[in-house]
Amino acid sequence: MKTAISIDDGLLQEADETAQQMGLSRSRLFALAVAEFMQRQRREQMLLRLNEVYAEGPEEAETCLLKGIRSKVRGAAKDRW
């Protein structure tokens, strides 16, 4: 899809030079840049959501499960050594 954007002259010149060095069209360079930016935004949003979920720490059931796993791992480690 074609679109028109406004961009600072200096940034446009730098983008043109970079695209030329990379053997890309200006359009392809901008498409790659926007795709990378959007991917970074999705990762940051996911991290924010995960931080919200785990901000309060593990639930009681998770804590009990982790204690059981730790004791089994410690026992297995002692048996091997």
Side-chain angles (χ1 to χ4, degrees), residues 30-63:
F30 279 101
L32 289 171
V34 169
E36 184 177 329
F37 177 81
M38 298 306 297
Q39 184 177 24
R40 190 177 324 135
Q41 288 298 110
R42 285 189 296 272
R43 284 188 205 137
E44 288 179 16
Q45 289 301 314
M46 185 185 336
L47 182 60
L48 287 173
R49 281 184 252 137
L50 287 170
N51 285 338
E52 287 174 7
V53 168
Y54 292 108
E56 296 176 11
E59 294 179 1
E60 186 178 339
E62 293 172 314
T63 303

Side-chain angles (χ1 to χ4, degrees), residues 13 15 20-22 26 36 47 49 70 76 79 81:
Q13 182 178 353
Q20 185 177 14
Q21 290 171 358
M22 296 177 70
R26 179 195 296 164
E36 184 177 329
L47 182 60
R49 281 184 252 137
R70 285 186 190 117
D79 290 344
W81 300 102

Side-chain angles (χ1 to χ4, degrees), residues 7 12 16 18 27 40 46-47 50-51 55-57 64 66 68:
I7 189 168
L12 181 61
D16 283 339
T18 300
S27 293
R40 190 177 324 135
M46 185 185 336
L47 182 60
L50 287 170
N51 285 338
E56 296 176 11
C64 291
L66 288 172

